[in-house]
Amino acid sequence: MKSTVGVIGGGQLARMMIPPAISLGLTIKVLEEAQGMSAEIAATGVGDYRDLDTVLAFAKTVDVVTFDHEHVPQHVLHALVDAGIPVHPGPDALLYAQDKLLMRQKITELGLPSPDWAAISDADELGDFLDAHGGRAVVKTARGGYDGKGVRVVDDKNGADDWFTALAEDGRGGSLIVEELVDFVRELAQQVARRPSGEIVAYPVVETVQKGGVCAEVIAPAPTAAEPARAADGSASTVSEVARDIAVRVAEGVGVTGMLAVELFETRDGRVLVNELAMRPHNSGHWSIDGAVTSQFEQHLRAVLDLPLGSTRPRDPWSVMINVLGGPVGETLQDRYPAVTAAYPAAKLHGYGKESRPGRKVGHVTVSGAELDAVLADARAAAAFFEG
Ligand code: ADP
């Protein structure tokens, strides 16, 4: 059996693949960008993921290549495939997690619901979209955005001029995306895992709360997900069924292998719209480490190795995950462990081994239990302890 997984990128997602790899008796190797990253303990190489020779040399030491992030360039990915190395997710799927414009086109082509959107290449086109959408809209760069960088609300046709200029200077040209500013009641995320041979399993849909463009809090499963929503074909269904159906159709439609997260908006009038895609374990699934029978990290490993997938059943009625952001430089998460563990013995703490910097994700806390209010309160209180 193939049993050596190579992960490109040494961040916390790679780090959290290590414990299940150990449990399953797999070998996991990480190509980290620099020494001392989050997944250092499994690093067998340090190098630039944009450099073909570096990536190829690393890939030749493993049975399957997967990722901590979506930034490996297409030409590098295709070269690995051409060299006969299994790459999961493959380049043709990953494209839709790398480029939001191609993603929007694909989601629309698959008949799945997006916010109203358009590709725009100058201020006049932005102006036309604004005129047709009440004077406010969201502009996004197709590539290179994360955690809300590359996303901007504009109410003026010149509000994205700097990005148009940057695109022109880049020489490659290309367009920005403009989207209707969705008046959502909440954001959701639906995760599924898909094996190369086709098996798919779905996690319960979760509610995600963003602060400053960064995921702050996740409630699993999303409260009131059993309430009615409108499916893409207009038929009535529940929020959780609609979300699962969308994610399964995306996974099959683009041929994802491994974990897929579909970020969603739930609107006031009961629609569920696709925001964006992530093809790797995702922040919205960290609760599953402690809260589900099979964590998203174990599931990802099983999926990329084409092993039968595990149960996604929650262990408790509710799990709440709160991200811990870095505070003052110099103080570590561990400094606060004694106080937090004493006050919240049921809280599960996860540190990413990263240096603390204001606003940087340095860990997370998960609390699970039977009463949502109590679980939420404990998780928030435990996480707040870390942030002082
Ligand atoms: P990133 O790639 O940085 O995560 P996203 O496209 O997910 O960027 O956008 C970040 C956040 O901005 C979303 O989680 C949401 O809160 C808000 N947002 C994005 N698109 C829209 C939209 N069309 N309408 C309203 N809010 C949006």
Side-chain angles (χ1 to χ4, degrees):
M1 191 199 107
K2 290 185 180 13
S3 63
T4 302
V5 178
V7 186
I8 299 181
Q12 66 261 28
L13 301 180
R15 179 187 180 94
M16 289 185 271
M17 291 180 206
I18 299 169
I22 292 171
S23 297
L24 290 167
L26 306 171
T27 302
I28 183 164
K29 298 184 178 182
V30 171
L31 175 65
E32 59 179 354
E33 296 84 329
Q35 223 145 25
M37 290 192 65
S38 229
E40 170 82 8
I41 196 170
T44 60
V46 177
D48 186 348
Y49 57 80
R50 293 164 300 192
D51 180 64
L52 175 57
D53 291 340
T54 303
V55 176
L56 200 54
F58 171 76
K60 284 183 174 156
T61 70
V62 301
D63 293 324
V64 53
V65 168
T66 190
F67 309 95
D68 168 77
H69 58 71
E70 289 136 345
H71 310 313
V72 180
Q74 283 283 320
H75 75 91
V76 173
L77 298 171
H78 278 289
L80 298 186
V81 172
D82 292 345
I85 295 160
V87 176
H88 295 298
D92 296 341
L94 212 44
L95 192 57
Y96 301 108
Q98 293 178 326
D99 188 307
K100 287 181 183 174
L101 180 52
L102 295 177
M103 180 275 292
R104 278 281 169 246
Q105 286 163 344
K106 186 71 180 179
I107 292 297
T108 304
E109 184 190 310
L110 290 171
L112 298 173
S114 281
D116 264 351
W117 68 276
I120 48 169
S121 44
D122 59 38
D124 287 339
E125 289 180 0
L126 174 54
D128 291 344
F129 191 92
L130 287 169
D131 290 345
H133 292 84
R136 265 156 74 84
V138 180
V139 179
K140 300 184 181 185
T141 54
R143 289 172 174 264
Y146 65 96
D147 282 351
K149 298 174 185 68
V151 175
R152 182 188 290 173
V153 176
V154 297
D155 56 11
D156 178 319
K157 69 180 235 178
N158 297 111
D161 282 356
D162 53 332
W163 284 350
F164 285 126
T165 305
L167 277 181
E169 281 171 358
D170 188 29
R172 285 180 302 176
S175 307
L176 298 174
I177 304 143
V178 61
E179 297 178 1
E180 116 191 51
L181 179 64
V182 178
D183 180 22
F184 54 79
V185 277
R186 59 176 174 171
E187 295 188 64
L188 303 169
Q190 173 68 57
Q191 289 190 296
V192 296
R194 181 172 177 275
R195 287 168 67 183
S197 55
E199 186 194 0
I200 296 188
V201 293
Y203 283 84
V205 67
V206 301
E207 179 171 338
T208 64
V209 180
Q210 268 60 235
K211 285 189 188 143
V214 181
C215 173
E217 201 169 287
V218 173
I219 305 174
T224 66
E227 292 196 352
R230 277 198 276 144
D233 62 6
S235 66
S237 193
T238 63
V239 172
S240 62
E241 283 165 357
V242 170
R244 189 178 56 222
D245 180 60
I246 289 172
V248 167
R249 285 167 65 186
V250 172
E252 288 175 340
V254 310
V256 180
T257 42
M259 288 296 305
L260 164 74
V262 183
E263 297 178 13
L264 301 160
F265 298 128
E266 184 181 343
T267 66
R268 274 172 221 292
D269 57 351
R271 290 176 308 148
V272 177
L273 308 175
V274 175
N275 176 27
E276 70 163 343
L277 311 180
M279 294 179 196
R280 47 171 170 76
H282 187 249
N283 202 164
S284 67
H286 290 356
W287 69 275
S288 65
I289 299 175
D290 305 300
V293 172
T294 310
S295 82
Q296 62 162 344
F297 297 99
E298 175 178 343
Q299 200 76 277
H300 188 72
L301 295 173
R302 289 162 76 139
V304 302
L305 286 166
D306 206 12
L307 293 171
L309 301 176
S311 165
T312 56
R313 187 170 53 78
R315 292 181 182 277
D316 284 285
W318 299 104
S319 289
V320 170
M321 188 279 333
I322 316 264
N323 279 333
V324 176
L325 301 185
V329 178
E331 198 173 295
T332 71
L333 213 60
Q334 287 83 347
D335 292 336
R336 302 215 171 202
Y337 278 2
V340 181
T341 48
Y344 301 96
K348 304 298 286 183
L349 315 180
H350 299 261
Y352 302 159
K354 287 160 73 171
E355 228 172 81
S356 182
R357 277 205 302 268
R360 189 184 203 198
K361 288 178 192 167
V362 293
H364 72 265
V365 176
T366 302
V367 177
S368 302
E371 297 296 333
L372 178 56
D373 288 347
V375 167
L376 249 180
D378 279 0
R380 284 177 182 162
F385 244 91
F386 281 115
E387 290 173 9

